[in-house]
Each structure stands twice: as C-alpha cells, then as structure tokens.
Amino acid sequence: MQHQVAIIQKYLEVGHTQMEGDCVHSAIERKLKNRLIHLPSDYLWVTKEARKNPCEYETVMVDYTFFKKYSAPETWRYTSIRPGRKAGDPKVNDIRAIFYDNTGLIKFKLDFDSDWDSFPQRVNKIAIIREYASLHRNRIPITYQKYKHLQELKSVIPLDCHSFYDSLPHNEH
C-alpha cells in the first residue's frame, strides 16, 4: 500500500510442485556434499558458491533482529483468510492464489481459472504500518543440555570456531 503496488501470490497445486527454487536447492545440496560445516556462516558461503554463472547467489546472514512481529492482531486487515465460514466450506489450504491490491483489499482464487473472490470477513481499517516491532529482544537461548552437548563437540571442531559455541546464550541447568 505504501508503495502503491499490487501483488499476486500463487500457491502450487498438489502434484505440480516443480518450481524455479528447486534448482537452487539442488545446487546448494550438491555443493554441500563432502563439505565440513562448523558454523552457521559456513552455510552462507556454500550457498554463495553454489552458482558461479551468471553470478553467485545473493546471500544475507540474518540474526534475531531480522524477525518482526507480524502476529500482532492490531496489524491485521483480516482476522482470517479462510474463504468459507462454516463446515464444508473451502479452507485456507484450498486457496490457489491471493491478490493484494494497493488499497489493502485482499481477494482469492480457489483455482487459477476462476475470478477473484472477496473474503467473507470484514476488512479492519488500519493505518499503513511502516515498521513492525521486533519479534525478539535478544538472542534466543538454547537449553542447557544442548549447550553442554555442543561444548562436548568442540573436541572435533577447529579451535577458531570455539568462541561461537562458547558465546551461545543458554538456560542455566
């Protein structure tokens, strides 16, 4: 809405799941074979190197600050995107495409050849949200047991990777 752009989001039909992203995952899996992974950032480099031509894949290392709180009800235009209201009516997983227009209205299709339909729910009038709140205030701690097990694995991990494992936030006992 802020940029006056309309978006069509399409969902794959069962049995027709080949898509452009499949070749990306395949290239990354091939590059991962026989590679040692000691740190999460190692996946970043493997992903980058999985394609050379026409250029490397673009990668971004994210941390807890990347994730936003989209689940806050006060930010929702619709309380549900279920296309029906009662038992036997279509469900969310029956949707094949969603159209987001630049005014905030959302429409759907249950098959690609049908016309766009409006959701049966009323639209909540909300202001354009320019910035969502962060989902997390700090790094998410792991359990003490997982932390302990990772510490034990340091005996087979290069010394220069140990500080990453030492700095993992964890619960006490």
Side-chain angles (χ1 to χ4, degrees):
M1 290 173 50
Q2 178 181 347
H3 298 287
Q4 292 295 301
V5 173
I7 298 170
I8 296 177
Q9 182 178 10
K10 296 180 179 179
Y11 295 92
L12 298 173
E13 292 189 54
V14 175
H16 301 274
T17 58
Q18 184 175 353
M19 58 184 279
E20 186 179 320
D22 291 347
C23 68
V24 175
H25 290 278
S26 177
I28 294 167
E29 286 175 12
R30 277 194 308 276
K31 198 69 175 176
L32 270 171
K33 282 191 175 166
N34 303 317
R35 289 285 291 263
L36 293 175
I37 302 292
H38 299 295
L39 299 168
S41 59
D42 292 342
Y43 285 109
L44 182 99
W45 297 110
V46 168
T47 301
K48 242 179 149 39
E49 297 168 356
R51 182 178 76 176
K52 296 290 183 196
N53 291 316
C55 59
E56 293 179 333
Y57 288 127
E58 183 178 334
T59 58
V60 176
M61 185 67 146
V62 298
D63 64 10
Y64 73 94
T65 61
F66 173 82
F67 300 94
K68 303 299 179 185
K69 189 174 184 178
Y70 298 112
S71 62
E74 64 272 10
T75 66
W76 299 348
R77 287 214 172 270
Y78 294 82
T79 55
S80 170
I81 61 166
R82 183 173 180 196
R85 290 182 181 256
K86 59 188 182 312
D89 283 353
K91 298 180 281 310
V92 173
N93 58 351
D94 294 322
I95 294 174
R96 291 294 161 250
I98 298 179
F99 174 70
Y100 306 86
D101 79 7
N102 58 6
T103 68
L105 289 177
I106 304 175
K107 296 187 177 196
F108 70 94
K109 287 185 179 190
L110 296 178
D111 65 66
F112 293 116
D113 297 326
S114 65
D115 292 330
W116 293 105
D117 286 321
S118 297
F119 285 104
Q121 297 81 5
R122 191 174 333 153
V123 180
N124 295 325
K125 300 214 183 289
I126 60 170
I128 294 174
I129 299 165
R130 300 196 191 296
E131 184 65 35
Y132 284 85
S134 291
L135 185 59
H136 307 288
R137 295 176 202 234
N138 299 301
R139 292 168 63 195
I140 301 169
I142 58 177
T143 64
Y144 178 74
Q145 184 175 10
K146 185 176 284 190
Y147 178 79
K148 194 171 92 173
H149 289 158
L150 289 169
Q151 295 303 311
E152 292 168 5
L153 285 174
K154 288 191 328 189
S155 64
V156 295
I157 295 175
L159 187 62
D160 62 337
C161 298
H162 289 200
S163 62
F164 171 81
Y165 293 94
D166 292 338
S167 70
L168 290 171
H170 59 281
N171 298 324
E172 297 297 322
H173 304 308

